[in-house]
């Protein structure tokens, strides 16, 4: 039984990480557009590659943590 519970938790962590990845990508895109005063005229590269990587990485970590907390709450409820 513990193996099934561990795989269930791992599944939720992975789902959270994937959702966090997409959230981070969207946040990086929106941040880049917000920082560019002439975004309507074309793409602007004011956000560095490292900045984008940090935003996406943070999204993955936060998503994984939320997924783990969600799995734990579901397990407690039965």
């Amino acid at each position: 039984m513990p193996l099934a519970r561990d795989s269930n938790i791992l599944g939720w962590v992975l789902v959270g990480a994937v959702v966090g990845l997409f959230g981070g990508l969207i946040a990086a895109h929106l941040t880049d557009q917000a920082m560019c005063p002439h975004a309507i005229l074309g793409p602007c590269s004011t956000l560095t590659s490292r900045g984008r990587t940090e935003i996406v990485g943070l999204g993955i970590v936060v998503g994984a943590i939320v997924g783990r907390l969600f799995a734990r709450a579901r397990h407690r409820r039965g």
Side-chain angles (χ1 to χ4, degrees), residues 10-75:
L10 181 61
W12 280 110
V13 169
L14 290 176
V15 167
V18 169
V19 169
L21 170 67
F22 287 117
L25 289 171
I26 291 170
H29 176 72
L30 292 177
T31 302
D32 194 28
Q33 293 300 317
M35 292 176 72
C36 183
H38 59 278
I40 250 176
L41 301 176
C44 184
S45 58
T46 55
L47 190 62
T48 65
S49 178
R50 181 178 177 200
R52 285 187 189 96
T53 303
E54 289 172 354
I55 290 173
V56 172
L58 183 62
I60 292 171
V61 170
V62 169
I65 291 170
V66 169
R68 172 67 173 106
L69 293 174
F70 184 77
R72 188 174 182 189
R74 278 186 60 119
H75 178 69

